[in-house]
Amino acid sequence: MGFTAVLRCEVLRASGTVQWGKDGLLLGPQRSLPGFLHYSMIGNPKRGQYHLQIEKATLEDEAFYTCQVGQSESSQAIVSSSVWLNVLIPPSKPYFEVDMERPWVAGRKYVVTCIAPDAKPEAEITLYKDGVELTGTESFTMSGSKDKLLNTHAKVTVTALSSDNGRQLACHANNRALFRHVETTMAMNVYFPPQRPVILGLEREDVKAGRTLVLECVSHGGNPLASLRWTKNKEVLSTTADVVEQKSRSVIRLKITPADNQAVVSCESDNLVSPSPLSVSHTINVLFEPAEVTLWGSSTAVEGQDLNLFCYASSSNPPVFIRWWLGYKELNTTVVTVEEGDNGGMITTSNMTHTVSREEDGLKLTCEAFNKGTQFSKTQSTTLNVYYPPQKVWLETPPQGVPLRSGTTVRLMCFSTGGNPTGTLTWFKNGKVVTNALKQMSFNRGGARELLLVLTASDNMAAYRCDSTNKAMQTISAHTQLMVHFRALSMKISSRQEELRRGQMLTLECQAGSSNPKANVSWSLGGLRFQGAEQPPQSAQFGGVSVHSTLSLNLSSQLHNQRVICQSYSRVLEEATNTFFKLNVLYPPEFSPEQPVQIQVLEDNMATIPLLVSANPEGVCCEWWYRGKPVKEGNLQYHKSDENSLEIKNVTRKNAGVYRVMCSNDEGVNEISIKLDVQYAPSVKAEKDPVVVNLGKTADLICVADANPIISGMFSWKWLGEEETEMGEETQEDESGLLTIHNVTRAHAGLYQCTANNDIASPATVDMQLVVQFKPELLKGAQWTKVASRGDGSSTAELVCRAEGIPRVDFSWEKNGLLMDFANPRYEERTVKDGSFHTSTVRVLNVSASLDYAIFSCTARNSRGEDTLDIQLVSTNHPDPPSMFRQLDVSHDSVTLEWIPGFNGGLRQRFRVRYRWDRSTSFLYMDVFPPGAAFFTVTGLQPITTYNFSVNALNAMGESGYADNNAVLTVTTKGRPDLGEVPTVDVPESPDRLPVYLTVVGVLLLFYSLSIFFGVRWKIRRGQTGASGGSMLDGKKSEPGGSSQSTEGNSNEYESKEKINVAAQRTLLIDSGSETDSHVYESYAAESSHHYYPTGDYIPPLSPLAEEMRRLGVTQLPVDSQSHLYEDVRDGDLYQDILSSPLPSSSYLFDQRLHHERRLPGYPQQAAGRVGDVRPPRRESDLPFELRGELV
């Protein structure tokens, strides 16, 4: 199977179709035989070779095959004889069937079966054991896993031997399909018992204690190898074993101790198939020394007595031999006994007796125990101590009969020599042991003991003795006596009177105790000394004398609790002893000289009026009176303390005044008066408010304070206005504060604050208004002197006149020098007052160019004077130029500019900044945004570059000249800051390409201007031909034959809603004199009747055409794109929100041609959207009056 089979077929001169048949099935004439992938016909057809080749033959290919030639025109069909293809299949790998889960045991029989599966023909099996063929094999076959396949079974009985362990059983299978047999093997695992063990390492039976025995137990053979177990006296020591070269080995370490004497050590071996354990044993004889050698008995004895000692040696093997040594001399007067001990050893005891002498004192007495088995000796020693008495005692003390001062430290030294042990020294005073003697000191064959005395009266003539004794029981002594001077030992004062009262006479007696020599007695009271009456001295203890003295005193309250001192003084010692007698004098209440008679307290605090009163007895009862009435405890505001002081809670100024207190006790009554002064924070009020004064006069501002105390400098003044002003002169008169301001100006007018502070609580303040009366002053300036309005008879103009003055200002108006008649319905006047400002507004209805374009004069007057302003009403026109154009700030890439707007021409005006660098031939333009702003920051500039700036104003009628008579403001930008992350942009040396772009822009704007011109003419013609019916004016349709007027007219007052630059406003109002918080900027965009679409709603649709930057051939643009760039020509977009145009917007033209310019996100789109919302006028009547072709 798996090989290639070739069935040969040769046909001579075949004329028909040649093909093969398999079991009657024709395979086909093709040589590749479709449908039978591993069948093919091979050979040379020209030679008649039609061999059938079967590749990788399988069992399915086994069949009868025939070679057939089909019938042809020239021959009949031919069929060959059948040939059988026999496919031989080798057996699969044989395998054993035997129970090997449990190991075999030597001597037992086992059946071994080998199977060779799936063979054709059946396999032949031969069994081998360790290369030797087994006989008695029985074989039979069974069907295999497929048809035609056979399984061969071979069975044999094997007797297991110990020598078979680890050897192999082999099964060989063979048939005709194999060139060499197939084989399988199996190793036999046979169990058998081990050999008897052997102990190594115990060559001798005698072992010294302390030695470590290393014993090895070895057992050869056995499967499995033997398990070893050590025991000592049948006690298991170890069960671990190592396997080394088919033997078991176990090693133990035994630390031999005396307890191991006569111990039996055994080693046992066995395994799973051992009938019984095999063992070997040894008995150990341990040689050991005694664990201890002890010396009993006292080694101390008095000279001439017998010394009796015992030497004991504990159990040992063999028993020890004991010897005695005194110094280098062996003592033989001993008795030895031996008896059984522990661990099989013997105990040895030796008794020694010896008579001691003084010469043997200090010698070493030794007991030696020697063990012959271990060749080791052990000793125990002691020192012999022989007692004998001391030989001499003497003292070192002060000489007797010389007086010593009490309190002096005296050293008494006692010495002793000789004796063993050294004599013990003991001090005695008058026969009693002194316990406070210092510790005894020792020296060579002697000792000393010091007695350190601090002399007292008891040491006077006392007998001191020192005894020396030791354990020899004999004593020798030495004696001395001291003389001591001491002061009086005690002092005592006594009186025969039991109660002492003020004004009585007191007699005191003082008894001074024993002193040596006699002392002098004296008396003292406070700083005074007295000499009492002294009696003759008397003998007293410790050999001294005592003294008695008396003293008489007149008692007063000041002597209460005073101490009367009696003192005993020794002139020899210059020392004194004293005692005192405390006087308890009874007296009625008395007030202390330190009793305060006036108390100060802050209002709303708690007032405490202390009462410093003394009395004896101390049980004093005090009653308080205020304004003739007793202070009652029931009043919650008053409280009496334990010291009779009076406490007043939340004291007010009403509680101030004189308080009287009466105090009494068992001895009498006394009283005193105390004043309570309540201090409180100031309250302040204005004497007059407001204070009115004429300009240039003197103003007096007075505030009055209610306070306690009134102190100097308690008033201060403060100006509450925004701007600084010069304060006047501040003075104070008692409770009044005065601020005097000389030569008052308008700057002094306003609110002043008076503060009173007496350093109690918070200061009090009051505000006072200073009103300065002055003549009216009108606000003047460009925005006040002109008013523009259309003179078409339908609009309204407002003329505003604003004056500041005090008192009230009245207005009068003139027109061309004639007083105006406000009874005329075309004129309305309204006056409004706001503080010191007065505003008069005249409304001119249906303004007519011929009647109302005139000069209106406004006169403001009050009691202090008057002022006049001329206001010109003109037609709407282009704005006036701005003024005071200046620089606010400059950086490396921006410049901030500021100006004062001029007259707006009656329309909403906007501003445009024109600038260029000094090397440029054309200008850049920027429309200021927001349109009404009077300051602007030009960005996108180059560092360190000089620029020329100008500004002008524009409205729907046109534009003004440039500010300050076409003046040019020159500014140089700063250098770029040193920032590594900011990219640098090179400034081009020459704007060579700039004229090209400007030329294109100029052409476009020129073309656009022409389109506007023709558009206007077309619009006018269309309006003349198509105008009919009514017109829409002010958002209302006018009635036929009638007229309409706007709801709001033009005004010279700026709209208050318009946001302006604060700095510009402040600069603008310098000439006019108006205040910065007044809104005087005019508004035109609010008129609903006008179709001028003011610049506030106008956002230029053009993105800025920035100046080019050329660098290495690459065109770059400045970073900022918010600015607006125009050529230095008229702006074609100026009237775009008034007139319609058929041409495209300039933003469209710029977008098509300046495609490279950068736009701000959202801004151009928003601007375009807002411009798109503006619709052009539809009729001529919707145009401003000035554009209809009429001239005034």
Side-chain angles (χ1 to χ4, degrees):
M1 187 178 73
F3 291 91
T4 300
V6 179
L7 304 182
R8 295 182 177 273
C9 176
E10 294 184 1
V11 181
L12 297 177
R13 296 181 298 276
S15 58
T17 300
V18 180
Q19 57 181 328
W20 283 84
K22 176 182 178 183
D23 286 338
L25 175 65
L26 295 179
L27 301 180
Q30 293 87 353
R31 299 190 67 85
S32 60
L33 298 180
F36 300 92
L37 298 180
H38 59 290
Y39 289 7
S40 62
M41 283 194 295
I42 64 175
N44 192 349
K46 295 181 179 180
R47 295 183 181 182
Q49 296 175 351
Y50 298 94
H51 308 316
L52 178 62
Q53 177 178 275
I54 302 175
E55 296 177 328
K56 297 181 181 180
T58 62
L59 190 61
E60 287 76 11
D61 298 326
E62 190 175 65
F64 285 100
Y65 292 87
T66 60
C67 181
Q68 300 179 13
V69 181
Q71 183 179 356
S72 67
E73 296 178 356
S74 60
S75 64
Q76 298 291 328
I78 302 174
V79 178
S80 70
S81 59
S82 298
V83 59
W84 174 258
L85 179 61
N86 186 16
V87 180
L88 302 180
I89 299 177
S92 299
K93 184 174 182 179
Y95 59 91
F96 285 102
E97 281 190 354
V98 60
D99 183 12
M100 292 302 291
E101 293 182 0
R102 292 176 296 177
W104 293 357
V105 178
R108 297 182 183 178
K109 293 183 178 182
Y110 297 92
V111 176
V112 178
T113 302
C114 181
I115 302 173
D118 296 337
K120 182 177 177 292
E122 69 273 11
E124 295 179 358
I125 295 177
T126 306
L127 295 173
Y128 297 88
K129 184 175 77 169
D130 197 22
V132 178
E133 184 178 352
L134 297 177
T135 60
T137 302
E138 299 178 0
S139 299
F140 60 92
T141 61
M142 298 180 66
S143 60
S145 61
K146 296 181 180 180
D147 291 342
K148 302 179 183 180
L149 298 182
L150 297 175
N151 293 343
T152 304
H153 294 246
K155 184 190 306 182
V156 68
T157 300
V158 178
T159 301
L161 303 176
S162 61
S163 58
D164 294 336
N165 183 48
R167 297 182 178 180
Q168 288 190 344
L169 282 175
C171 175
H172 294 181
N174 201 359
N175 70 356
R176 287 184 295 164
L178 291 174
F179 298 102
R180 187 178 182 278
H181 64 266
V182 292
E183 176 186 14
T184 187
T185 60
M186 179 186 70
M188 292 180 288
N189 186 13
V190 181
Y191 279 4
F192 57 92
Q195 300 178 11
R196 182 180 298 275
V198 176
I199 296 178
L200 304 177
L202 191 61
E203 291 77 12
R204 295 182 57 186
E205 299 292 333
D206 293 340
V207 181
K208 289 184 179 180
R211 176 185 170 187
T212 300
L213 284 180
V214 180
L215 302 181
E216 180 180 1
C217 179
V218 179
S219 177
H220 295 272
N223 185 29
L225 293 177
S227 297
L228 302 179
R229 181 172 63 254
W230 284 95
T231 62
K232 184 177 74 171
N233 294 334
K234 299 182 179 181
E235 180 181 351
V236 177
L237 298 179
S238 174
T239 60
T240 60
D242 299 330
V243 176
V244 181
E245 297 179 356
Q246 296 300 315
K247 65 180 179 180
S248 294
R249 173 178 174 272
S250 179
V251 179
I252 63 170
R253 294 177 177 270
L254 293 178
K255 180 71 174 180
I256 302 301
T257 64
D260 296 326
N261 189 28
Q262 301 303 313
V264 178
V265 178
S266 301
C267 179
E268 296 179 352
S269 67
D270 61 355
N271 66 2
L272 296 176
V273 296
S274 296
S276 62
L278 303 177
S279 66
V280 59
S281 301
H282 289 281
T283 301
I284 301 176
N285 182 31
V286 181
L287 305 179
F288 59 93
E289 297 88 13
E292 59 177 337
V293 175
T294 306
L295 199 59
W296 290 349
S298 176
S299 61
T300 301
V302 179
E303 184 180 15
Q305 294 182 350
D306 287 338
L307 186 65
N308 191 10
L309 293 175
F310 291 87
C311 185
Y312 168 81
S314 61
S315 178
S316 65
N317 183 30
V320 298
F321 175 69
I322 297 178
R323 301 173 68 184
W324 290 88
W325 302 87
L326 181 58
Y328 296 100
K329 176 182 177 181
E330 184 176 0
L331 303 179
N332 297 319
T333 55
T334 60
V335 177
V336 179
T337 58
V338 180
E339 56 184 359
E340 292 183 0
D342 298 333
N343 303 321
M346 303 298 291
I347 298 174
T348 305
T349 305
S350 175
N351 183 13
M352 185 276 298
T353 302
H354 177 69
T355 302
V356 299
S357 63
R358 179 177 298 188
E359 292 75 12
E360 295 173 342
D361 180 50
L363 293 181
K364 188 175 182 180
L365 180 61
T366 304
C367 166
E368 180 185 9
F370 179 73
N371 187 306
K372 294 181 180 180
T374 62
Q375 297 296 312
F376 182 83
S377 65
K378 198 169 189 179
T379 62
Q380 189 69 32
S381 301
T382 186
T383 300
L384 187 61
N385 191 8
V386 180
Y387 290 159
Y388 51 92
Q391 297 176 344
K392 182 181 179 182
V393 175
W394 71 95
L395 300 178
E396 288 186 1
T397 64
Q400 296 187 20
V402 176
L404 301 175
R405 184 187 183 93
S406 174
T408 304
T409 300
V410 175
R411 299 177 182 271
L412 306 181
M413 186 69 74
C414 178
F415 297 92
S416 172
T417 59
N420 185 33
T422 302
T424 300
L425 302 177
T426 305
W427 279 98
F428 294 87
K429 177 182 178 181
N430 294 331
K432 295 182 179 180
V433 176
V434 178
T435 58
N436 58 351
L438 299 181
K439 187 177 180 180
Q440 181 172 328
M441 299 178 294
S442 298
F443 54 88
N444 187 21
R445 308 303 291 178
R449 191 172 189 183
E450 182 181 15
L451 178 60
L452 191 62
L453 295 178
V454 178
L455 297 180
T456 63
S458 62
D459 295 321
N460 186 37
M461 305 309 295
Y464 283 90
R465 184 181 84 242
C466 178
D467 291 350
S468 176
T469 183
N470 65 2
K471 294 183 178 179
M473 309 308 289
Q474 295 184 14
T475 303
I476 56 177
S477 302
H479 308 268
T480 188
Q481 193 175 34
L482 302 177
M483 178 183 294
V484 179
H485 285 173
F486 55 92
R487 62 185 180 180
L489 299 180
S490 62
M491 299 291 293
K492 181 181 179 181
I493 300 177
S494 59
S495 173
R496 297 179 182 179
Q497 296 170 258
E498 295 183 359
E499 289 186 350
L500 308 180
R501 283 184 171 81
R502 183 176 62 181
Q504 291 182 348
M505 184 64 69
L506 172 65
T507 300
L508 299 177
E509 297 180 356
C510 179
Q511 180 69 42
S514 177
S515 63
N516 183 29
K518 173 184 174 296
N520 295 327
V521 176
S522 62
W523 296 83
S524 64
L525 175 61
L528 302 177
R529 301 183 64 85
F530 306 96
Q531 192 66 38
E534 187 175 309
Q535 299 179 2
Q538 297 180 356
S539 299
Q541 60 180 350
F542 306 128
V545 294
S546 63
V547 180
H548 185 82
S549 178
T550 58
L551 177 67
S552 297
L553 292 174
N554 187 13
L555 298 178
S556 66
S557 62
Q558 287 76 18
L559 297 181
H560 177 62
N561 285 331
Q562 294 290 319
R563 294 181 177 185
V564 179
I565 299 174
C566 176
Q567 178 176 282
S568 172
Y569 180 74
S570 174
R571 295 180 179 177
V572 175
L573 299 178
E574 294 182 350
E575 293 181 356
T577 304
N578 59 57
T579 186
F580 67 88
F581 181 85
K582 188 174 183 180
L583 300 177
N584 183 22
V585 180
L586 301 177
Y587 61 94
E590 292 183 359
F591 296 99
S592 170
E594 298 178 359
Q595 170 68 45
V597 294
Q598 180 173 341
I599 302 296
Q600 290 182 344
V601 65
L602 297 181
E603 192 174 26
D604 296 328
N605 288 350
M606 184 175 72
T608 300
I609 304 178
L611 191 60
L612 306 181
V613 61
S614 63
N616 191 23
E618 295 181 351
V620 178
C621 178
C622 296
E623 184 176 1
W624 289 85
W625 293 76
Y626 178 60
R627 295 180 179 177
K629 296 181 180 180
V631 177
K632 298 181 180 180
E633 281 285 350
N635 192 332
L636 298 178
Q637 191 177 13
Y638 295 97
H639 173 68
K640 295 180 182 178
S641 66
D642 296 338
E643 292 79 14
N644 291 315
S645 298
L646 180 62
E647 296 177 353
I648 307 175
K649 299 179 181 178
N650 299 324
V651 66
T652 66
R653 59 197 74 180
K654 295 181 180 180
N655 298 120
V658 177
Y659 289 79
R660 185 168 59 93
V661 60
M662 299 179 62
C663 297
S664 63
N665 69 352
D666 294 341
E667 298 295 321
V669 180
N670 200 354
E671 69 176 42
I672 193 172
S673 296
I674 303 172
K675 180 181 179 181
L676 179 62
D677 182 19
V678 179
Q679 298 182 345
Y680 49 90
S683 61
V684 63
K685 63 180 180 179
E687 185 178 79
K688 182 180 180 182
D689 185 35
V691 177
V692 180
V693 63
N694 292 332
L695 188 69
K697 300 300 182 180
T698 299
D700 290 325
L701 284 74
I702 303 175
C703 63
V704 181
D706 178 16
N708 183 27
I710 299 295
I711 62 176
S712 175
M714 68 181 292
F715 293 97
S716 62
W717 292 84
K718 181 180 179 182
W719 160 250
L720 300 182
E722 294 182 358
E723 299 180 359
E724 295 184 0
T725 185
E726 182 180 356
M727 296 291 291
E729 178 185 358
E730 298 181 15
T731 57
Q732 178 180 346
E733 297 179 0
D734 297 330
E735 69 276 2
S736 298
L738 177 63
L739 175 64
T740 302
I741 304 176
H742 301 283
N743 194 18
V744 173
T745 66
R746 287 174 54 187
H748 290 109
L751 200 61
Y752 290 81
Q753 186 179 79
C754 172
T755 302
N757 183 10
N758 63 353
D759 297 330
I760 296 177
S762 300
T765 61
V766 63
D767 296 342
M768 303 173 63
Q769 184 75 30
L770 176 60
V771 178
V772 179
Q773 294 184 347
F774 56 94
K775 72 174 186 177
E777 292 184 2
L778 289 168
L779 300 183
K780 300 177 181 180
Q783 71 273 24
W784 297 97
T785 58
K786 283 186 179 181
V787 176
S789 178
R790 293 175 298 176
D792 56 358
S794 62
S795 61
T796 299
E798 283 189 356
L799 288 75
V800 180
C801 183
R802 178 173 293 179
E804 183 182 11
I806 297 176
R808 175 182 177 85
V809 176
D810 296 322
F811 294 91
S812 64
W813 287 83
E814 294 179 355
K815 177 182 176 183
N816 290 332
L818 299 177
L819 187 66
M820 293 185 66
D821 181 13
F822 290 108
N824 189 335
R826 292 185 61 246
Y827 301 109
E828 297 178 356
E829 193 271 342
R830 179 170 57 93
T831 301
V832 177
K833 180 179 180 296
D834 182 11
S836 63
F837 284 91
H838 303 73
T839 304
S840 176
T841 304
V842 173
R843 299 185 68 207
V844 181
L845 306 179
N846 302 326
V847 176
S848 170
S850 60
L851 298 178
D852 297 320
Y853 284 179
I855 295 177
F856 293 81
S857 298
C858 170
T859 301
R861 62 173 56 86
N862 65 3
S863 60
R864 305 299 303 163
E866 65 179 33
D867 193 9
T868 302
L869 172 67
D870 291 337
I871 303 173
Q872 184 178 6
L873 179 58
V874 298
S875 173
T876 53
N877 204 340
H878 58 76
D880 291 345
S883 61
M884 298 187 69
F885 184 46
R886 68 189 186 97
Q887 166 197 332
L888 281 182
D889 190 21
V890 62
S891 67
H892 71 284
D893 63 350
S894 66
V895 173
T896 301
L897 306 170
E898 184 187 43
W899 57 90
I900 295 179
F903 176 60
N904 60 6
L907 300 174
R908 176 72 62 87
Q909 67 178 346
R910 56 189 174 93
F911 301 95
R912 177 181 296 164
V913 175
R914 182 184 70 175
Y915 70 98
R916 68 175 181 179
W917 56 27
D918 55 355
R919 300 182 184 179
S920 174
T921 59
S922 59
F923 288 95
L924 298 171
Y925 293 83
M926 283 191 179
D927 284 349
V928 175
F929 186 83
F935 71 97
F936 188 67
T937 299
V938 181
T939 59
L941 305 180
Q942 299 301 319
I944 317 178
T945 304
T946 300
Y947 290 89
N948 296 326
F949 294 91
S950 301
V951 65
N952 69 342
L954 305 91
N955 63 9
M957 298 294 295
E959 61 181 287
S960 70
Y962 287 95
D964 302 327
N965 295 324
N966 296 321
V968 175
L969 178 65
T970 301
V971 180
T972 301
T973 56
K974 298 181 179 179
R976 186 183 302 276
D978 187 11
L979 295 176
E981 299 179 358
V982 178
T984 60
V985 179
D986 295 335
V987 178
E989 293 297 329
S990 61
D992 296 335
R993 298 182 60 186
L994 184 60
V996 177
Y997 284 101
L998 294 180
T999 302
V1000 174
V1001 174
V1003 171
L1004 293 176
L1005 293 177
L1006 179 60
F1007 179 75
Y1008 189 58
S1009 300
L1010 293 175
S1011 67
I1012 293 175
F1013 173 75
F1014 289 112
V1016 170
R1017 296 190 61 185
W1018 173 83
K1019 186 68 176 181
I1020 293 174
R1021 293 174 180 177
R1022 182 177 177 274
Q1024 291 175 350
T1025 58
S1028 64
S1031 62
M1032 295 296 295
L1033 187 64
D1034 295 341
K1036 299 180 182 179
K1037 186 174 182 181
S1038 62
E1039 299 296 333
S1043 63
S1044 63
Q1045 59 183 19
S1046 62
T1047 57
E1048 293 186 25
N1050 296 338
S1051 172
N1052 61 330
E1053 180 180 19
Y1054 280 16
E1055 183 182 353
S1056 60
K1057 297 180 181 179
E1058 182 178 352
K1059 297 181 179 179
I1060 63 176
N1061 181 3
V1062 178
Q1065 178 189 19
R1066 182 172 60 252
T1067 306
L1068 177 67
L1069 298 180
I1070 291 176
D1071 294 336
S1072 66
S1074 62
E1075 297 184 1
T1076 58
D1077 57 353
S1078 63
H1079 304 285
V1080 294
Y1081 290 87
E1082 61 182 336
S1083 171
Y1084 191 84
E1087 297 184 14
S1088 61
S1089 62
H1090 298 168
H1091 297 280
Y1092 282 137
Y1093 302 102
T1095 57
D1097 298 330
Y1098 169 74
I1099 297 178
L1102 300 181
S1103 298
L1105 177 59
E1107 299 184 22
E1108 297 178 355
M1109 300 180 184
R1110 294 190 300 165
R1111 178 179 176 186
L1112 299 180
V1114 179
T1115 301
Q1116 298 180 355
L1117 298 176
V1119 176
D1120 184 82
S1121 61
Q1122 296 180 2
S1123 58
H1124 301 280
L1125 174 76
Y1126 302 95
E1127 272 294 325
D1128 190 14
V1129 295
R1130 292 286 297 180
D1131 185 2
D1133 266 351
L1134 184 62
Y1135 298 102
Q1136 183 177 348
D1137 50 358
I1138 301 176
L1139 303 175
S1140 61
S1141 173
L1143 300 179
S1145 67
S1146 59
S1147 70
Y1148 171 80
L1149 297 177
F1150 272 69
D1151 289 343
Q1152 295 297 320
R1153 291 160 176 78
L1154 304 181
H1155 57 83
H1156 65 279
E1157 70 184 27
R1158 300 177 58 185
R1159 295 175 176 268
L1160 280 178
Y1163 176 74
Q1165 293 81 354
Q1166 179 185 4
R1170 295 182 63 180
V1171 172
D1173 293 339
V1174 178
R1175 299 178 181 178
R1178 292 171 295 180
R1179 295 183 302 275
E1180 183 179 353
S1181 59
D1182 295 333
L1183 295 176
F1185 176 79
E1186 291 78 7
L1187 298 182
R1188 298 179 188 177
E1190 300 180 19
L1191 297 177
V1192 178

